[in-house]
Amino acid sequence: NTNVGQQRAALEAIKHTRGRYTAVMDADLQYSPEVLTDLIKKIELDKSDAVFAVSRTGHPAFLRFLTSRILRTLLWLLCRAPIYSGFYVLMGPKTIDHLRGLNDPKNVIMAAMISCSDVSVSTYPVHRAQRQSCRSSYTSMARLRVGFCSILWALTWRIRLYPWLWPLFRCKVSVKIYQGPHFEMGPK
């Protein structure tokens, strides 16, 4: 078995989930698992399809913080992905159906996969602790690759919404459009 990355591993796990809600979070415990009960209350109160735990605490390394903010701001502009979201999200059935219908996205962050759809998203502020170990195993190159792929993903989604943009990019767009529990291919 090879390491397929955090996002794709989560998508694979989501294919096998059961129950009313599904939560996904980083294993480094920077986000507290105890917040899950608050996320459940928030998703039910807002009647949203997904709720992201968001934190405004910065990264210890300035460059990591800066690149993260640039990526998140671009994703917010393209598909309204929560700017301060990390990898801690509670999802309802509509979001799970959407993610299960995706065609194996590579190197795309979960916030983009969820926000580039017609699911309703809300946020819940949480405290994010400092990392217990000194360094992340997520290299700068991996972050750049995932960031670039996520922006392309969101841009493709945005182009699908505005067909008059297609000739500008000289591309054929093929994305899945949420149609209840089943999916149909979008414009080609």
Side-chain angles (χ1 to χ4, degrees):
N1 291 334
T2 59
N3 183 347
V4 295
Q6 182 184 41
Q7 311 297 325
R8 289 181 69 198
L11 282 177
E12 187 60 34
I14 285 169
K15 291 178 185 177
H16 306 284
T17 61
R18 303 282 184 269
R20 188 171 180 185
Y21 300 116
T22 299
V24 177
M25 70 179 287
D26 268 330
D28 61 9
L29 297 180
Q30 284 184 285
Y31 293 102
S32 172
E34 287 78 24
V35 174
L36 187 56
T37 56
D38 296 328
L39 295 179
I40 292 170
K41 290 175 189 172
K42 178 73 171 170
I43 201 170
E44 290 176 350
L45 178 70
D46 290 356
K47 296 185 179 5
S48 57
D49 300 310
V51 60
F52 283 91
V54 295
S55 172
R56 290 182 183 257
T57 55
H59 298 281
F62 177 74
L63 186 58
R64 185 177 174 114
F65 172 79
L66 181 64
T67 57
S68 177
R69 286 301 160 252
I70 291 169
L71 166 66
R72 297 300 181 154
T73 301
L74 288 171
L75 288 176
W76 181 81
L77 290 170
L78 288 169
C79 62
R80 297 297 189 244
I83 290 180
Y84 297 102
S85 65
F87 197 61
Y88 193 1
V89 60
L90 178 70
M91 300 165 282
K94 187 174 179 182
T95 305
I96 295 300
D97 285 344
H98 164 70
L99 292 174
R100 286 178 179 159
L102 296 178
N103 189 15
D104 193 26
K106 293 174 178 58
N107 299 315
V108 178
I109 63 171
M110 187 74 64
M113 287 186 260
I114 292 172
S115 299
C116 292
S117 69
D118 67 345
V119 300
S120 62
V121 174
S122 61
T123 60
Y124 184 79
V126 297
H127 171 73
R128 190 175 98 194
Q130 291 295 324
R131 186 180 305 279
Q132 296 298 322
S133 62
C134 298
R135 297 177 55 143
S136 170
S137 59
Y138 202 33
T139 67
S140 296
M141 281 309 287
R143 288 178 59 78
L144 286 172
R145 182 175 55 250
V146 168
F148 182 73
C149 291
S150 297
I151 290 167
L152 285 178
W153 174 275
L155 187 59
T156 301
W157 176 78
R158 177 61 60 194
I159 291 169
R160 177 191 58 82
L161 293 180
Y162 301 102
W164 57 269
L165 284 175
W166 298 350
L168 296 175
F169 292 93
R170 298 177 187 256
C171 64
K172 296 180 179 181
V173 180
S174 178
V175 293
K176 293 189 176 187
I177 301 170
Y178 184 76
Q179 301 287 332
H182 303 288
F183 291 84
E184 296 178 9
M185 291 306 291
K188 291 184 179 177

